[in-house]
Amino acid sequence: MKKIWSLFVILLVASFTINAQEATTFLGIPIDGTKSEVIAKLKAKGYKQSTTDRDALEGEFNGEDVLIYVQTNNNKVYRIAVLDATSRDEGQIKIRYNNLCSQFQNNARYSIADPEVTDYKLSDTEDISYEMTVHNKQYQAAYIQRPNDPAAYNRLVWFTIGKSGYGKYTVAMFYENLNNKATGEDL
């Protein structure tokens, strides 16, 4: 009986280790566990409680001042949302968006999520304001983290352009662990 119990403990530990490796990571922190655990890890990386939003942390990420939100489903973290703290005009947001596309495309830890897309970059002639206002167009780019891993489809990182006022825009990035996302189990 003791041997069976030891084997059970080994398998249990191995399954937790495998699940932790399968989770999307943000700054090396797995998008998994409880909200308080993930917030504690983010604070250990230097992020502070936001002075303007009690649900957010603030700090710098990838050279930008950002607000960070930890989102849960059934008390398990499934997403970290990273929002620009500073808005930009249309020309500046195209540059920011295209720079992010280049950074992800040139990073071997990521691959484009949609096999039919080769590049998400915007042309200089794209009229973001017109397209978003008149045609409700959304600008999004999606990538898979650690694409050579068989469980990569559960590790989605994507970003989008959002309006933050008249003629002003921000980028919102989402690091998601699709294993923890709502699937209608509460319906």
Side-chain angles (χ1 to χ4, degrees), residues 38-68:
V38 172
I39 287 173
K41 290 175 184 177
L42 287 166
K43 285 182 175 179
K45 295 257 184 197
Y47 292 94
K48 308 261 186 255
Q49 190 65 47
S50 172
T51 56
T52 58
D53 186 341
R54 67 179 181 88
D55 292 328
L57 299 175
E58 59 187 14
E60 186 178 309
F61 176 68
N62 196 34
E64 298 287 332
D65 289 332
V66 296
L67 295 171
I68 297 177

Side-chain angles (χ1 to χ4, degrees), residues 140-160:
Q140 299 175 341
Y143 298 87
I144 300 294
Q145 198 175 66
R146 297 189 312 268
N148 296 326
D149 186 326
Y153 64 91
N154 287 320
R155 293 188 299 270
L156 183 64
V157 179
W158 62 283
F159 54 92
T160 186

Side-chain angles (χ1 to χ4, degrees), residues 17-53:
T17 303
I18 290 168
N19 285 336
Q21 291 172 345
E22 288 180 3
T24 310
T25 59
F26 173 73
L27 297 173
I29 301 168
I31 312 298
D32 206 6
T34 67
K35 187 173 186 174
S36 60
E37 290 169 343
V38 172
I39 287 173
K41 290 175 184 177
L42 287 166
K43 285 182 175 179
K45 295 257 184 197
Y47 292 94
K48 308 261 186 255
Q49 190 65 47
S50 172
T51 56
T52 58
D53 186 341

